[in-house]
Amino acid sequence: MFKALMEDVQAVLERDPAARSRLEVLLCYPGVHAVMLHRVAHALWRRNFRLLARLLSTFTRFLTGIEIHPGAKIGRRCFIDHGMGVVIGETAEIGDDVTIYQGVTLGGVSLDRRKRHPTIEDGVVIGAGAAVLGPFRVGKGARIGSNAVVLKEVPPGVTVVGIPAKPVGPQPVEAGREAFPAYGTWPGVAADPVSRALERVCLQLEELQARLERLEQQMAERGEPVPLRRVGS
C-alpha cells in the first residue's frame, strides 16, 4: 500500500507542473486521497465487506468530491487531477498511468448486473467533463478531449473529441512530461471533427468560386458569352 501511494505521488509530480513537493501532494491533492481510500474500500469489497466498503466510498466522496464505486478496479499511478465531480462506476476498469481530469464520468447505459462500464487501458488521458459510457475499451495511449461523449470503442493511440466523440487522427502519447497532453488534446487540435470537416468544405467552395470567376474572365476576354449565374450561387 505504501509503495502504491508513493507511485501515485510521483505520478502527480511528473504530470502536474503546479506540484512542488511530495508533502504538498500528500496533503493537498484530493485525487491522491480518493485513490488511496479507494484501494482500502476495494480490498473490503473483494472480501465481501460490501456495506463497509460503500460507507468508506461515501465518506471519500464527501471528503474529496470524487465518487468511485468500491467495485471499480484502478491500476497503478492513476492521477485524478482536480477531481471534483468525477464518477467511476462499479464495473469500470482502469489500467496503469491513466490521467483523469475533473467532471469525468465512467458510466454505464444498462441496468443489467454485469459488466456495464468502460475499460480504460494504460496511459489514457481523459479530459475535463468527458463521459465514457458503456462496456467497451478505450485503447492504450488514447486521449479523450474535454467534454467529449464516448459511446463506442476507441482504438489505441487515437484522440477523440466531440459529441458523440469522433477520432481526429492517431497521435500516440510519448513518454516524458514535455509530451504529456493536458486535458486530453494537443495544442492546435480542433475541438470538433465536424467543425473541421465544415471548414474544409468552405475552403473548397471558395476555391471553386475563384476558379469560376477566372474562367468567366477568360471567356469575356475572348468575346465568348458568359453564362448568367444566380446571385449567391
Side-chain angles (χ1 to χ4, degrees):
M1 181 70 73
F2 179 77
K3 180 181 178 181
L5 177 59
M6 289 300 100
E7 285 186 340
D8 293 340
V9 171
Q10 185 60 34
V12 175
L13 290 171
E14 291 174 357
R15 300 179 215 170
D16 186 0
R20 296 291 188 272
S21 67
R22 288 181 172 81
L23 182 60
E24 178 188 353
V25 172
L26 280 170
L27 295 178
C28 303
Y29 277 70
V32 173
H33 306 154
V35 171
M36 177 181 66
L37 291 171
H38 170 74
R39 298 194 196 284
V40 178
H42 183 64
L44 292 170
W45 184 267
R46 292 182 60 188
R47 288 165 176 78
N48 286 321
F49 295 103
R50 300 292 172 89
L51 179 58
L52 186 58
R54 290 301 301 268
L55 286 171
L56 180 56
S57 69
T58 300
F59 171 74
T60 302
R61 181 181 62 180
F62 171 78
L63 183 68
T64 66
I66 299 169
E67 182 173 347
I68 309 175
H69 193 284
K73 299 177 182 178
I74 297 180
R76 299 164 61 184
R77 299 177 296 277
C78 177
F79 176 29
I80 301 177
D81 197 3
H82 305 294
M84 181 63 70
V86 167
V87 177
I88 300 175
E90 177 186 4
T91 61
E93 299 176 57
I94 299 174
D96 299 336
D97 302 301
V98 171
T99 303
I100 299 172
Y101 287 90
Q102 68 271 18
V104 166
T105 299
L106 303 183
V109 293
S110 170
L111 298 179
D112 296 337
R113 293 181 180 273
R114 56 185 179 184
K115 174 70 172 173
R116 59 190 184 277
H117 299 93
T119 296
I120 311 298
E121 296 187 351
D122 299 349
V124 171
V125 181
I126 307 178
V132 187
L133 308 175
F136 52 81
R137 288 184 174 272
V138 176
K140 183 176 180 179
R143 298 189 305 284
I144 298 172
S146 297
N147 297 314
V149 177
V150 185
L151 302 174
K152 61 183 179 180
E153 184 168 331
V154 179
V158 170
T159 297
V160 296
V161 298
I163 304 174
K166 296 180 177 63
V168 292
Q171 206 169 24
V173 176
E174 301 173 5
R177 179 185 296 181
E178 295 301 322
F180 182 74
Y183 291 94
T185 55
W186 295 95
V189 174
D192 187 351
V194 176
S195 297
R196 296 182 69 196
L198 289 173
E199 288 176 4
R200 290 195 296 269
V201 170
C202 291
L203 288 173
Q204 290 173 356
L205 287 174
E206 290 176 2
E207 292 174 0
L208 288 172
Q209 179 77 12
R211 290 176 60 186
L212 183 57
E213 289 176 356
R214 288 196 299 269
L215 286 172
E216 290 178 343
Q217 183 177 358
Q218 292 172 3
M219 292 174 68
E221 290 174 353
R222 292 195 298 264
E224 299 176 2
V226 178
L228 294 176
R229 288 185 293 136
R230 294 180 180 178
V231 176
S233 62

